[in-house]
Amino acid sequence: MKSIHLRKLLAVMEVKSKTLLDMTYIIMPLFSIGFALLMRFMSSVYMESGKMSPSTLANCVIMNICMCSIFCVAGSLAEEKEKHTLRVLMTSSVNGMEFYFGSVLPVLMESIVVNTLLPFITGLSMTVIQWGCYLLLTTLSSLIGTIVGMLIGIYSKDQMNASIITTPFMLVLLLLPMLNGIHPILDTISSLTFTGVIMDFANQVSINAHPFQINSIIILIVEIIIATVLFLVLYKKNGFEAND
């Protein structure tokens, strides 16, 4: 395993952070925030309690992960391939791990900030334990989403190709939790995705059950490991790995 140089890592993070400030990507977190504000307004007008359900918060989080972690990362990485920026990084001896962490951290931090704001925007109150579980699950899920976005980006030929792949993939992730209860196979598939894990957390909160599910944590961690290894393999296979 190659060592990680802080200077190169920070250089990649700087490039990725500037990309996130591009108008194409900077508006993506606003979709989930806007959706949360809209749902809170509608619940205050049309619902007697005036309170939003935990499942609505879960949908906002899932939307944020899909738009920020998957769509933005896939599109920006495909753009870098299209403009041959990755080749420049390769000539600068940036190895796979440096590129991986440099790409993941800026998006992950952005997702964590938005995910932390969403409960306050929706007005949903949670206990300390529920907050802890919420932050842990959403952070792990955001990390998975970011790596998935990187996999799509490294596989895609250009931005158009990345968009064609990303759109149906995100729709499946958004719809799977809504199909729970229709068929046992769909329930099993949903439980193995981060969207299903987040929705299951919301269901536990709604009935005041203990939200911590060790199985869900294990599933997310295993998915992170598999996705990370797969990305590093593809990064090297596509000829972007530095040869120190």
Side-chain angles (χ1 to χ4, degrees):
M1 181 177 178
K2 296 187 177 181
S3 60
I4 298 176
H5 300 88
L6 182 60
R7 179 180 58 81
K8 297 178 183 179
L9 175 63
L10 293 176
V12 176
M13 288 183 63
E14 182 180 359
V15 172
K16 295 296 181 178
S17 298
K18 289 180 179 178
T19 302
L20 291 177
L21 295 177
D22 185 272
M23 187 57 65
T24 305
Y25 304 115
I26 198 173
I27 64 173
M28 292 304 167
L30 300 180
F31 281 97
S32 56
I33 293 175
F35 180 71
L37 290 171
L38 176 62
M39 295 305 296
R40 182 169 186 177
F41 170 76
M42 292 180 64
S43 64
S44 64
V45 174
Y46 297 106
M47 296 179 65
E48 293 183 4
S49 63
K51 295 181 179 180
M52 293 175 59
S53 65
S55 61
T56 303
L57 171 63
N59 285 324
C60 294
V61 171
I62 292 171
M63 179 181 291
N64 176 53
I65 295 174
C66 286
M67 299 304 293
C68 293
S69 300
I70 299 179
F71 183 83
C72 289
V73 173
S76 61
L77 185 50
E79 181 181 5
E80 289 171 356
K81 285 185 64 180
E82 192 175 357
K83 295 180 178 179
H84 305 291
T85 308
L86 283 180
R87 295 294 177 185
V88 176
L89 289 174
M90 185 182 69
T91 58
S92 301
S93 300
V94 174
N95 62 46
M97 291 300 294
E98 290 164 349
F99 184 83
Y100 170 82
F101 284 109
S103 301
V104 164
L105 291 177
V107 182
L108 183 60
M109 289 186 288
E110 179 186 57
S111 295
I112 291 174
V113 170
V114 176
N115 289 337
T116 304
L117 291 175
L118 287 174
F120 296 103
I121 296 173
T122 58
L124 183 68
S125 60
M126 293 187 290
T127 65
V128 175
I129 295 178
Q130 290 173 341
W131 260 107
C133 293
Y134 171 80
L135 293 175
L136 177 60
L137 290 176
T138 55
T139 299
L140 292 176
S141 298
S142 297
L143 179 55
I144 293 174
T146 302
I147 303 171
V148 168
M150 291 167 65
L151 287 171
I152 295 174
I154 203 77
Y155 175 80
S156 304
K157 296 179 181 179
D158 49 42
Q159 284 181 283
M160 181 64 71
N161 186 229
S163 179
I164 292 173
I165 298 173
T166 303
T167 301
F169 185 79
M170 290 194 303
L171 286 175
V172 171
L173 289 176
L174 288 167
L175 290 174
L176 266 178
M178 302 179 188
L179 301 177
N180 272 348
I182 295 180
H183 195 279
I185 295 179
L186 291 176
D187 294 347
T188 302
I189 296 174
S190 178
S191 66
L192 295 176
T193 64
F194 67 84
T195 52
V197 168
I198 293 174
M199 190 59 69
D200 182 60
F201 165 81
N203 294 333
Q204 296 297 318
V205 172
S206 64
I207 60 176
N208 292 320
H210 199 289
F212 185 78
Q213 302 290 333
I214 187 63
N215 291 340
S216 298
I217 303 296
I218 293 174
I219 289 172
L220 295 179
I221 292 175
V222 170
E223 290 178 354
I224 289 171
I225 295 173
I226 294 174
T228 299
V229 172
L230 185 57
F231 171 78
L232 293 175
V233 170
L234 288 177
Y235 185 85
K236 186 172 183 178
K237 185 178 180 180
N238 280 270
F240 299 119
E241 180 67 83
N243 295 314
D244 293 336

